[in-house]
Amino acid sequence: MPERKITLIDATIDQLYSRLKSCDICPRNCRLNRLKGKIGYCGGGKETRVFSAFLHKGEEPPISGQKGSGTVFFSGCSLKCVYCQNYKFSCSISGETVSETQLSGIFLKLQKKGAHNINLVTPTHFLPQILMALKIALKNGLNVPIVYNTSGYEKVEIIKRLKGIVDVYLSDLKYTDKAVSRAYSNAPEYPDFAQESIKEIYGQAKALMAENLLKKGLIIRHLVLPNNIEGSKKILAWIADNLPKAMVSVMFQYQPYYRADKYPQINRPLTKAEYQQIRDFTESLRLKGFLQGFSPAECLAGINFTPNLKEYL
Ligand code: SF4
């Protein structure tokens, strides 16, 4: 298995790296030469930056398990939603610069601490560097599943390259409405990219559970926004129609972080009535997966994470 992943990484890594010269790794298509130090919309340049790494016990139960998910939060993001709960590091490039060898060491230390998987959070803009680090780690004994934890703002041809390398996808599906996507994520075309990439992921691997852990497959995450109940219903109905066997994680932890106070429609938490409507609707569709409780603990949000890389470097 590690040998096969290494072979697949070798088959794609050079071409992927060379795309950083005129970066088109994600749908923003900045076309900047990141290898010469230019910084794209995502905040990513040549060097990989990581904000924190730890055993995360707040992911979905088959991801966190008993010991935790070996989570690596990358700095920067190609989407930068106005309400982002991780804005401290997704909307800035705070964090540590790490070499590919150092990043491979982080993966291996997380595995040594008992991580059930390596959970790459917002990895897209550093994908070439991450694949190189994974190759080094695989050669040095990394053998837990690789989780690709994405906003869903992905090119399908990039997702195709990850087949056989990534084991589990946690993919957001934030919007199906282009006007909402434009307003909150400056990405009117997000729905098309996200839906197409999620369909590709759904076809890549059937869900495989062992010892109550997800070893292969997809969980589609949807964060319910205030005053957007019809939008959430459309998304859930789309999943039921198109990907009926997919696991879904419906999240109610929204809080008006970052710049949400500039947007009156989303400048508040969800109401109990909104929560109940979406809960009832999801249950009526008989979707498989996870429904968060009303008003879950705020400690789940990235706003509360602190940099801790020193212990991994
Ligand atoms: S990965 Fe970053 S630099 Fe590259 S196209 Fe996307 S936003 Fe632009």
Side-chain angles (χ1 to χ4, degrees):
M1 167 97 108
E3 292 74 23
R4 176 160 163 69
K5 286 188 179 181
I6 291 167
T7 303
L8 290 168
I9 291 171
D10 280 341
T12 199
I13 189 79
D14 288 348
Q15 214 223 346
L16 212 49
Y17 244 115
S18 72
R19 289 171 68 163
L20 294 176
K21 283 186 205 156
S22 175
C23 190
D24 64 349
I25 301 279
C26 87
R28 296 275 178 209
N29 291 322
C30 296
R31 306 266 177 212
L32 295 166
N33 190 341
R34 290 176 53 188
L35 295 180
K36 290 213 163 151
K38 298 282 187 206
I39 304 292
Y41 186 98
C42 55
K46 183 179 177 190
E47 312 290 345
T48 310
R49 286 184 85 95
V50 172
F51 183 74
S52 69
F54 60 101
L55 292 178
H56 196 336
K57 302 210 170 159
E59 301 283 43
E60 288 79 359
I63 302 295
S64 281
Q66 291 292 316
K67 296 177 188 165
S69 173
T71 304
V72 181
F73 280 92
F74 292 94
S75 306
C77 178
S78 57
L79 209 51
K80 296 187 173 151
C81 308
V82 298
Y83 51 82
C84 182
Q85 64 170 12
N86 295 340
Y87 71 92
K88 279 199 299 189
F89 49 93
S90 64
C91 299
S92 81
I93 203 75
S94 59
E96 300 269 346
T97 297
V98 294
S99 69
E100 287 148 2
T101 304
Q102 285 175 315
L103 185 55
S104 72
I106 294 172
F107 298 156
L108 290 166
K109 277 186 193 161
L110 286 165
Q111 176 174 274
K112 201 169 169 196
K113 285 183 172 214
H116 295 299
N117 45 55
I118 297 300
N119 183 352
L120 308 165
V121 183
T122 322
T124 315
H125 52 297
F126 291 127
L127 192 54
Q129 297 93 326
I130 291 170
L131 290 183
M132 188 59 82
L134 276 176
K135 178 178 164 179
I136 298 167
L138 289 163
K139 282 186 169 176
N140 286 286
L142 186 74
N143 57 18
V144 292
I146 306 302
V147 179
Y148 192 83
N149 189 334
T150 169
S151 68
Y153 195 41
E154 299 281 353
K155 291 183 171 180
V156 71
E157 49 108 355
I158 296 286
I159 294 296
K160 284 182 179 172
R161 290 168 184 265
L162 301 179
K163 185 174 180 181
I165 301 170
V166 166
D167 301 288
V168 174
Y169 292 85
L170 300 180
S171 179
D172 293 346
L173 184 52
K174 294 171 183 291
Y175 325 101
T176 55
D177 184 313
K178 292 185 181 199
V180 179
S181 185
R182 180 196 296 275
Y184 300 147
S185 298
N186 187 28
E189 74 289 11
Y190 170 92
D192 295 337
F193 281 104
Q195 287 172 316
E196 200 187 350
S197 64
I198 287 173
K199 279 187 188 169
E200 162 64 25
I201 292 168
Y202 184 68
Q204 275 190 13
K206 280 192 180 155
L208 174 66
M209 295 279 290
E211 297 159 348
N212 295 322
L213 294 167
L214 188 62
K215 303 286 186 178
K216 280 189 185 299
L218 160 69
I219 297 176
I220 304 173
R221 285 175 161 175
H222 175 61
L223 175 69
V224 180
L225 300 178
N227 286 308
N228 193 34
I229 296 311
E230 289 312 308
S232 286
K233 286 184 177 176
K234 270 191 207 162
I235 286 167
L236 295 165
W238 181 85
I239 295 170
D241 287 346
N242 291 277
L243 318 166
K245 292 186 181 153
M247 266 191 274
V248 177
S249 177
V250 185
M251 304 166 80
F252 299 102
Q253 68 192 51
Y254 179 84
Q255 295 287 336
Y257 295 122
Y258 192 36
R259 299 198 291 121
D261 61 342
K262 310 277 188 298
Y263 299 80
Q265 292 281 306
I266 55 168
N267 191 23
R268 62 162 174 80
L270 294 176
T271 63
K272 189 87 195 259
E274 287 172 327
Y275 162 76
Q276 200 59 54
Q277 277 189 69
I278 294 300
R279 201 180 164 98
D280 292 348
F281 187 74
T282 307
E283 286 174 350
S284 77
L285 293 173
R286 299 187 181 281
L287 290 167
K288 287 193 301 180
F290 312 92
L291 279 164
Q292 249 181 356
F294 180 59
S295 198
E298 268 201 76
C299 62
L300 295 175
I303 183 85
N304 296 307
F305 299 159
T306 49
N308 68 337
L309 271 198
K310 295 280 180 283
E311 65 182 283
Y312 288 92
L313 294 175

